[in-house]
């Protein structure tokens, strides 16, 4: 033998020295669920993840800062009485999202605030767009998404994050932001978002499960790979600053192909189902939770994600701080 590759795996120190993939908390985004009021409610389908009443969210953000987590992706749970077919609450200047952005940025200007742009939390149908006769309308939805983005920007959002998968929304949002002189607000586009069963726990968090049908006429078919590149390149052309692949763990091939095809930062979203499966399995004693967190996130990073949105952000930060 003239090569003995085990030499490079001999000790922990050597393995650390040659490790190709590292993750820093600075590269993680924590999705944060906000509701009205003061209550902190655990989401039953996502153990360890809470919905924070707006009055209570500030303490949680202080916790995040101590863990070196500086970026949140805001989702709001809209009260049923405020949902209507026109999704009018999405454009309410004093709505929960508007107040959440404004108050968080006022208290924590250093935090990067990203906001979800889609209509599902505001719609009685739970779809990401306006619904007419059982159909999801594209262009009318895009008009609202653009206005919604301007509203979020005006309240201080650093990035708007359209998660709806309508055609043409990125350019409409970009044009609207420019027109209103919000030249410092970025767009993180969910560019390759698949219709996935792994969003299920999230929908109970926001009470936003689709009332009829599924999301397959706008979210992508998981049998497709080339389509992900097509969607992503178009979003960049339309003005996206960051692109995203979602879900993450079962889509590592897509993350890598997107990473190789683009020259903007690539994000991946380790979604609610990916989180809850690890949680459930750990609870049963079938996998070691800490090891599963590290391995799943590292694999997503190794596949090519520059940024990861994950419900494990706090756990990750705690784990690596303990190991230092
Ligand atoms: C909806 C939205 C979803 C998620 C983020 N934004 C659900 C869906 O598309 O049905 C999923 C996040 C997760 O599962 O963690 N616009």
């Amino acid at each position: 033998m003239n090569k003995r590759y085990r030499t490079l795996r001999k000790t922990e120190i050597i393995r650390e020295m040659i490790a190709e993939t590292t993750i820093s908390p600075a590269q993680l985004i924590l999705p944060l669920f906000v509701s009205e009021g003061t209550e902190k409610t655990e989401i039953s389908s996502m153990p360890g993840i809470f919905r924070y009443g707006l009055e209570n969210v500030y303490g949680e953000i202080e916790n995040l800062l101590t863990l070196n987590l500086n970026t949140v992706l805001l989702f709001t749970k809209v009260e049923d009485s405020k949902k209507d077919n026109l999704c009018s609450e999405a454009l309410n200047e004093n709505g929960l999202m508007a107040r959440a952005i404004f108050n968080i940025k006022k208290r924590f200007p250093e935090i990067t605030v990203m906001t979800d742009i889609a209509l599902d939390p505001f719609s009685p149908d739970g779809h990401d767009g306006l619904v007419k006769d059982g159909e999801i309308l594209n262009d009318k939805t895009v008009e609202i998404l653009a206005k919604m983005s301007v509203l979020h920007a005006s309240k201080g959002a650093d990035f708007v994050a359209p998660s709806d998968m309508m055609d043409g929304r990125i350019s409409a949002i970009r044009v609207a932001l420019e027109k209103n002189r919000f030249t410092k607000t970025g767009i993180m586009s969910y560019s390759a978002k698949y219709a996935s069963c792994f969003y299920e726990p999230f929908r109970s968090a926001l009470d936003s499960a689709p009332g009829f049908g599924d999301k397959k006429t706008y979210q992508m078919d998981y049998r497709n790979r080339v389509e992900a590149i097509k969607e992503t390149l178009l979003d960049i052309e339309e003005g996206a600053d960051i692109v995203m692949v979602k879900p993450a763990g079962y889509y590592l091939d897509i993350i890598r192909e997107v990473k190789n095809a683009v020259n903007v930062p690539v994000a991946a979203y380790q979604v609610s189902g990916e989180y809850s499966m690890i949680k459930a399995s750990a609870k049963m004693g079938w996998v070691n939770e800490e090891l599963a967190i590290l391995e799943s996130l590292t694999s997503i990073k190794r596949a090519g994600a520059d940024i990861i949105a994950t419900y494990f952000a706090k756990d990750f930060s705690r784990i690596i701080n303990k190991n230092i």
Side-chain angles (χ1 to χ4, degrees):
M1 277 189 261
N2 72 345
K3 291 259 194 298
R4 286 188 179 271
Y5 286 161
R6 286 186 58 192
T7 325
L8 293 177
R9 298 181 210 126
K10 191 168 69 180
T11 66
E12 176 72 33
I13 289 172
I14 296 171
R15 292 195 295 273
E16 280 296 315
M17 179 174 70
I18 63 148
E20 295 173 39
T21 308
T22 52
I23 306 174
S24 140
Q27 298 160 328
L28 301 181
I29 299 171
L30 180 72
L32 201 55
F33 300 121
V34 181
S35 62
E36 293 287 0
T38 53
E39 237 158 84
K40 175 181 166 186
T41 317
E42 187 166 23
I43 295 156
S44 58
S45 52
M46 303 176 71
I49 301 296
F50 296 83
R51 235 177 5 235
Y52 295 89
L54 183 54
E55 300 312 313
N56 238 315
V57 83
Y58 311 115
E60 174 63 1
I61 292 178
E62 274 162 17
N63 292 338
L64 301 183
L65 290 173
T66 64
L67 291 165
N68 295 325
L69 297 167
N70 302 300
T71 303
V72 293
L73 175 57
L74 297 183
F75 294 95
T76 49
K77 178 171 161 42
V78 177
E79 292 162 307
D80 276 346
S81 61
K82 298 204 166 129
K83 299 184 183 186
D84 62 42
N85 290 334
L86 295 174
C87 301
S88 33
E89 185 60 18
L91 300 180
N92 181 351
E93 298 208 2
N94 293 309
L96 178 58
M97 182 58 104
R99 279 178 282 127
I101 302 165
F102 184 79
N103 288 327
I104 291 172
K105 281 305 279 190
K106 194 168 81 186
R107 279 168 220 229
F108 305 97
E110 69 276 32
I111 279 262
T112 300
V113 170
M114 299 178 152
T115 61
D116 186 57
I117 300 287
L119 299 183
D120 48 314
F122 311 96
S123 152
D125 294 306
H127 276 288
D128 292 30
L130 293 180
V131 177
K132 195 172 175 215
D133 303 329
E135 210 182 295
I136 316 303
L137 303 180
N138 194 88
D139 299 6
K140 286 232 154 45
T141 299
V142 168
E143 278 174 33
I144 301 177
L145 299 176
K147 286 187 188 149
M148 204 176 158
S149 300
V150 170
L151 171 62
H152 293 190
S154 77
K155 298 295 172 185
D158 297 288
F159 286 85
V160 291
S163 66
D164 57 288
M165 290 299 281
M166 298 300 128
D167 286 330
R169 89 267 212 229
I170 302 301
S171 70
I173 291 171
R174 181 55 85 196
V175 167
L177 289 175
E178 283 292 322
K179 211 163 132 195
N180 291 278
R181 304 305 299 149
F182 291 114
T183 53
K184 293 184 208 158
T185 310
I187 304 174
M188 178 170 77
S189 168
Y190 290 59
S191 16
K193 176 171 177 178
Y194 287 88
S196 170
C197 73
F198 297 110
Y199 306 149
E200 205 64 45
F202 171 97
R203 291 174 186 165
S204 55
L206 293 190
D207 189 17
S208 62
F212 67 88
D214 50 40
K215 299 194 172 185
K216 289 180 182 170
T217 66
Y218 44 108
Q219 298 177 350
M220 285 172 44
D221 186 328
Y222 58 72
R223 292 171 293 189
N224 296 345
R225 190 165 54 87
V226 178
E227 194 180 6
I229 306 298
K230 186 177 77 176
E231 285 282 0
T232 303
L233 292 179
L234 182 57
D235 281 4
I236 295 171
E237 220 175 282
E238 290 186 22
D241 298 287
I242 301 173
V243 294
M244 191 200 279
V245 175
K246 177 182 178 185
Y250 289 98
Y251 294 79
L252 299 180
D253 56 329
I254 307 295
I255 295 173
R256 172 46 60 187
E257 288 219 28
V258 165
K259 177 67 183 164
N260 289 347
V262 306
N263 58 6
V264 300
V266 175
Y269 197 142
Q270 184 183 47
V271 300
S272 56
E274 298 178 70
Y275 171 87
S276 297
M277 284 194 298
I278 289 178
K279 277 284 178 187
S281 190
K283 193 171 167 200
M284 295 299 285
W286 293 337
V287 294
N288 175 302
E289 183 168 332
E290 286 195 358
L291 296 180
I293 292 170
L294 291 177
E295 187 172 335
S296 63
L297 290 174
T298 306
S299 300
I300 294 164
K301 191 82 197 302
R302 186 196 63 230
D306 302 295
I307 302 164
I308 307 175
T310 174
Y311 301 97
F312 285 126
K314 284 163 69 182
D315 304 84
F316 176 83
S317 191
R318 274 193 215 107
I319 297 167
I320 58 158
N321 282 328
K322 191 177 67 187
N323 290 346
I324 285 169

